[in-house]
Amino acid sequence: MYAKTVLIKDTDTTREDKTREAYTRLLDCLREDNLHDHVQVVRVSDIGIYEHGLVLKIYPDNITYANVQESGLKRIADSIRDSKVLEEFVFKPKARQLRLVLRNCGKINPESIDEYFASEGYLGLKKAISDLGQQKLIDEIKLSSIRGRGGAGYPTWLKWNFAREVKADQKFVICNADEGDPGAYMDRSILEGDPHSVIEGLSIAAFAIGASKGYFYVRAEYPLAVERINKAIKQAYDHGLLGKNILGSPFSLDLEIRLGAGAFVCGEETALISSIEGKRGTPHPRPPYPSVKGLWGKPTVINNVETLANIPQIVLKGGKWFSKIGTQTSKGTKVFAVTGKVKNSGLVEIAMGATLREIVMDICGGTLSGKPIKAVQTGGPSGGVIPQDLLDTPVDYENLQKLGSIMGSGGMIVMDEDDCMVDIPKFYLGFCVEESCGKCAPCRIGGFQMLNYLKKISEGKGEISDLPQLKRISQAMQKASLCGLGQTASNPVLSTLKYFEAEYKEHILNKHCPAGKCSHLITYNIIEEKCKRCGICFTNCPVNAIVGDKEKGYSVIQEKCIKCGRCFDVCKFKAILRK
Amino acid sequence: MAKLTPEGLDKISKAVIIEGDWIKVGMSSCGIAAGAEEVYDFFVEEAKKRNLKIEVKKCGCAGSCYAEPLVEVKVEGLPSVVYGRVNKDVAGKIIEKHIIAKMLVNDCIFDSVV
């Protein structure tokens, strides 16, 4: 058995991968030092650090070296022999993930309540019931300053306090797991990876306001999450953590799952309540807010999955502990689902205040294509597009809002220069038009009209007067829509207009799409000088728009071309010109 | 089952100790979509066939969706590591090399996973 393990990886992507050479060289050095039986060297696929040259990690010492030159390997081998640390190579990471919500995801078996017990499971609930009581519990949550993770960022303790103060014979708690933003899936992962933490959070919320009945509102598209919540609820009942007289106290709580049919608007709390009541999922004007008059007219607290998953830790470790993490106005951590043109797509949990660049470049490894980032979209269809020169903004609720985006539920889509800033808002607006419930005119009609303008622009029929018109409709929708869906649906358009107005104008005035996305504005042609007459475009064209043969060469018949870009992608000689 | 009391809960939290060697397979939607079920079944079968003293467990998604299926392996005396993009082939190597020969497998580790 080896005493030490060295992981090795060349992280510089601008040159050829030198991992293998460095690996062999290090093995030689270790042999010279007579260490080859004590230290094993392992080449890894991904070492979690990017663009820092040769990176080595030494276990069990837990030392990370970066930017190591090949000549440095001998010194590293010697340092292992002498049990020393080479300070000059030690890597100090700028951005690190901090896992509070995802603390158990990927660590424990979500189907075993025992493993949850072993990681402080239900001790938060116990502390709330046995030690704190309602008032002190709400005080702790107030002290933590946690804000709702569903999008709007409303202080959680306020919601709870309103509902607690209202006198009623029955109160309800609801877990909002109707996650619908395109590209966002952190709630699903929490429910699938650690369902008990959400149940515990919901139980604590119920105890705080005095509710005896709770609902999980989950999308039917999440069958595995539903299965695991069901199992977890059953286990909690079996252990007396749900049902009558929980942990021997007078507090009782019943939990039930309600499946949503996948309507985006049902994530809005008043629409969600209608849906649970068995009615059509459409929003209602507020006030009265649900914390005063919610489900079946009773005081109801609705919290998002991620908010609830935070609660047990806050109760257990105290509000003060939590309030030390994050920025002045936004405490704690946030989970982002980073997708799009990014190398390492997945869930990232960081303390509030980390910058977008740290998330995308340092943690997620930059873009997949290696091309520069053009923009990052946050907050899904209600959010905005943040251009690359503003990526150094620390992430919190206020900062993102100032940039014309929102924190939202945590979707983060990375775009490179191949993404068109007219096409992106067109996609999001199309989504909102499709998902609009149709109850109020600003959202129903405004969204449709805006989409028409965007279609017009992307088809090359846009006029310069369309731009102020888009802004006017956006403002009307923001002011007059009934719920958040309509109020925020224009954000992707407004933010792209703000930061990428030149790109809109390029579409309108020059009938040109710089990213080569808008199919009406591009043509494909074969550059004769570059063409090697291999015929790969000819065989791949799905509509036979490429004619010719290996003798005479090939050309594109523009009338037949459907602008699918297949020829552009398959040509190995870059002989297809996209304009 | 007996209903828990506050004291009972304290006791149970301390009583559950997870020790010994284990293999954890990420079995959330993302992992399953990438083929984690096949990998999980393979480990269970191999462990039984070769009579290995190792527990094969399921867990949720660790967040590194790009590298699914993820498999974390803890063997006494070796650092616990996460293997990514595991298929039956890699799973076989993990059994042969990591678990039996006590050597980490080259070119398969994703040390980016938190």
Side-chain angles (χ1 to χ4, degrees):
Chain A
M1 180 97 54
Y2 298 102
K4 285 189 192 208
T5 305
V6 179
L7 305 185
I8 189 165
K9 167 81 184 163
D10 179 12
T11 63
D12 192 343
T13 53
T14 57
R15 55 176 159 92
E16 211 180 320
D17 190 345
K18 289 214 162 76
T19 311
R20 263 175 198 275
E21 285 90 329
Y23 168 81
T24 327
R25 175 88 188 96
L26 183 62
L27 281 181
D28 290 342
C29 297
L30 289 168
R31 202 163 288 125
E32 283 166 26
D33 286 342
N34 229 351
L35 284 171
H36 54 283
D37 288 332
H38 298 278
V39 182
Q40 72 167 329
V41 185
V42 188
R43 298 187 304 268
V44 300
S45 294
D46 188 338
I47 203 154
I49 296 165
Y50 309 95
E51 307 302 336
H52 277 90
L54 194 60
V55 178
L56 287 90
K57 284 189 184 174
I58 302 168
Y59 292 106
D61 313 54
N62 224 345
I63 303 168
T64 305
Y65 294 132
N67 292 316
V68 179
Q69 301 300 318
E70 209 168 313
S71 52
L73 290 172
K74 172 74 183 141
R75 293 180 49 211
I76 288 180
D78 293 348
S79 77
I80 295 173
R81 182 193 58 201
D82 307 336
S83 302
K84 280 194 180 132
V85 179
L86 291 174
E87 288 299 337
E88 54 180 299
F89 293 134
V90 169
F91 179 72
K92 292 180 191 75
K94 271 184 280 172
R96 265 232 179 96
Q97 294 204 51
L98 175 64
R99 297 214 153 176
L100 305 181
V101 172
L102 299 175
R103 65 189 180 278
N104 290 331
C105 289
K107 301 276 175 234
I108 66 167
N109 182 351
E111 297 181 7
S112 152
I113 195 169
D114 282 338
E115 290 197 20
Y116 186 62
F117 284 142
S119 53
E120 302 179 324
Y122 289 101
L123 292 182
L125 178 65
K126 191 202 88 171
K127 187 176 171 190
I129 297 175
S130 319
D131 305 343
L132 293 176
Q134 286 178 320
Q135 188 56 55
K136 271 194 187 161
L137 169 60
I138 292 184
D139 289 346
E140 280 300 324
I141 303 297
K142 185 180 176 182
L143 190 64
S144 78
S145 309
I146 184 173
R147 297 166 64 175
R149 299 290 194 250
Y154 194 75
T156 304
W157 78 273
L158 259 178
K159 258 190 197 179
W160 291 15
N161 209 38
F162 282 135
R164 185 172 105 83
E165 282 172 350
V166 181
K167 290 213 165 22
D169 54 339
Q170 168 87 65
K171 293 177 187 176
F172 295 103
V173 285
I174 299 173
C175 169
N176 183 350
D178 190 67
E179 187 176 43
D181 288 4
Y185 56 94
M186 40 286 139
D187 292 352
R188 192 200 73 211
S189 271
I190 297 166
L191 290 170
E192 287 180 355
D194 193 14
H196 281 290
S197 70
V198 186
I199 293 176
E200 188 182 351
L202 194 59
S203 306
I204 294 172
F207 173 75
I209 68 160
S212 59
K213 175 94 197 166
Y215 292 93
F216 269 95
Y217 189 83
V218 193
R219 297 168 76 80
E221 288 101 323
Y222 286 177
L224 189 65
V226 173
E227 187 191 314
R228 288 191 178 156
I229 304 165
N230 255 326
K231 259 188 203 163
I233 289 179
K234 194 178 169 304
Q235 289 166 345
Y237 268 109
D238 286 347
H239 285 82
L241 294 162
L242 285 175
K244 292 235 168 314
N245 301 104
I246 293 167
L247 291 169
S249 75
F251 170 56
S252 302
L253 176 69
D254 284 308
L255 285 187
E256 213 179 285
I257 296 183
R258 286 293 160 100
L259 297 184
F264 182 61
V265 74
C266 283
E268 197 280 333
E269 53 182 16
T270 57
L272 187 151
I273 286 174
S274 294
S275 176
I276 292 185
E277 288 172 347
K279 296 180 198 146
R280 187 177 166 153
T282 53
H284 297 277
R286 298 178 301 185
Y289 285 91
S291 31
V292 179
K293 204 164 170 244
L295 189 62
W296 288 299
K298 306 292 181 190
T300 306
V301 160
I302 303 181
N303 282 139
N304 162 271
V305 171
E306 196 185 327
T307 316
L308 291 172
N310 267 304
I311 299 293
Q313 288 285 301
I314 295 176
V315 174
L316 205 56
K317 296 190 176 160
K320 208 170 164 194
W321 161 79
F322 191 81
S323 69
K324 282 185 187 148
I325 306 162
T327 66
Q328 196 64 36
T329 55
S330 312
K331 301 296 183 190
T333 61
K334 179 79 195 85
V335 184
F336 288 101
V338 189
T339 54
K341 305 253 173 80
V342 68
K343 202 167 173 189
N344 302 347
S345 60
L347 297 184
V348 173
E349 182 172 356
I350 43 104
M352 299 264 193
T355 67
L356 288 164
R357 197 180 301 279
E358 283 169 347
I359 297 173
V360 177
M361 299 307 289
D362 297 341
I363 296 175
C364 294
T367 57
L368 190 60
S369 55
K371 289 178 187 171
I373 299 175
K374 185 171 186 179
V376 171
Q377 208 276 354
T378 67
S382 311
V385 177
I386 298 167
Q388 69 85 24
D389 51 328
L390 293 173
L391 290 186
D392 289 316
T393 317
V395 172
D396 70 10
Y397 291 97
E398 277 68 28
N399 279 337
L400 290 181
Q401 205 150 20
K402 259 184 248 158
L403 297 180
S405 185
I406 58 163
M407 176 85 78
S409 60
M412 188 178 279
I413 297 170
V414 180
M415 300 169 213
D416 66 10
E417 50 195 23
D418 290 340
D419 287 304
C420 167
M421 291 302 139
V422 176
D423 193 60
I424 295 285
K426 197 176 91 185
F427 164 77
Y428 281 112
L429 208 61
F431 178 85
C432 286
V433 168
E434 197 134 289
E435 293 292 343
S436 168
C437 75
K439 186 168 175 173
C440 72
C443 173
R444 183 181 68 234
I445 302 171
F448 183 76
Q449 290 305 331
M450 281 180 80
L451 185 60
N452 275 347
Y453 278 116
L454 289 181
K455 277 185 183 159
K456 208 175 122 189
I457 294 171
S458 70
E459 283 169 11
K461 296 172 193 152
E463 296 157 62
I464 202 75
S465 61
D466 293 348
L467 298 183
Q469 196 64 7
L470 276 171
K471 282 184 193 161
R472 273 187 60 205
I473 304 175
S474 298
Q475 278 154 7
M477 283 175 76
Q478 280 177 336
K479 280 188 189 149
S481 293
L482 180 58
C483 80
L485 195 158
Q487 285 158 10
T488 58
S490 57
N491 278 349
V493 182
L494 283 178
S495 60
T496 44
L497 266 175
K498 183 171 165 191
Y499 299 118
F500 297 96
E501 196 180 355
E503 203 166 323
Y504 277 88
K505 286 189 172 154
E506 184 73 11
H507 281 74
I508 294 169
L509 300 174
N510 300 334
K511 312 291 174 205
H512 172 232
C513 174
K517 260 271 142 82
C518 297
S519 58
H520 284 86
L521 301 182
I522 48 174
T523 52
Y524 290 95
N525 280 296
I526 294 165
I527 312 168
E528 239 171 83
E529 301 79 61
K530 284 192 180 173
C531 179
K532 302 269 187 263
R533 301 182 180 182
C534 68
I536 194 163
C537 57
F538 173 77
T539 41
N540 273 285
C541 179
V543 289
N544 301 326
I546 294 179
V547 289
D549 55 40
K550 292 195 178 184
E551 314 275 276
K552 284 183 246 150
Y554 297 91
S555 61
V556 182
I557 305 174
Q558 295 302 336
E559 296 74 48
K560 273 188 169 184
C561 176
I562 55 164
K563 324 268 171 76
C564 66
R566 189 89 186 99
C567 51
F568 185 83
D569 292 337
V570 294
C571 180
K572 293 188 183 83
F573 310 104
K574 296 200 160 61
I576 307 276
L577 179 68
R578 180 167 69 186
K579 252 200 330 201
Chain B
M1 194 176 287
K3 306 288 180 210
L4 280 174
T5 57
E7 298 74 39
L9 182 64
D10 276 339
K11 226 189 252 171
I12 216 171
S13 319
K14 285 176 195 120
V16 186
I17 296 165
I18 297 148
E19 53 183 15
D21 297 347
W22 45 253
I23 301 175
K24 271 184 208 166
V25 185
M27 298 276 272
S28 281
S29 297
C30 37
I32 291 171
E37 253 164 2
E38 194 188 50
V39 172
Y40 177 81
D41 292 345
F42 177 82
F43 279 126
V44 172
E45 240 169 70
E46 286 295 304
K48 211 169 141 193
K49 210 161 58 186
R50 296 170 189 243
N51 213 0
L52 299 172
K53 266 203 177 152
I54 194 152
E55 196 186 348
V56 184
K57 306 202 278 189
K58 290 180 188 180
C59 67
C61 159
S64 301
C65 308
Y66 66 101
E68 293 282 358
L70 293 169
V71 173
E72 191 177 356
V73 184
K74 171 81 191 106
V75 171
E76 191 56 46
L78 290 174
S80 98
V81 292
V82 178
Y83 292 99
R85 304 205 176 119
V86 178
N87 49 24
K88 265 192 179 176
D89 218 31
V90 177
K93 281 187 202 158
I94 294 174
I95 294 270
E96 293 281 348
K97 267 193 89 181
H98 192 142
I99 291 158
I100 297 175
K102 315 273 185 224
M103 281 164 74
L104 303 187
V105 183
N106 270 323
D107 302 319
C108 302
I109 292 173
F110 282 71
D111 205 52
S112 49
V113 180
V114 183

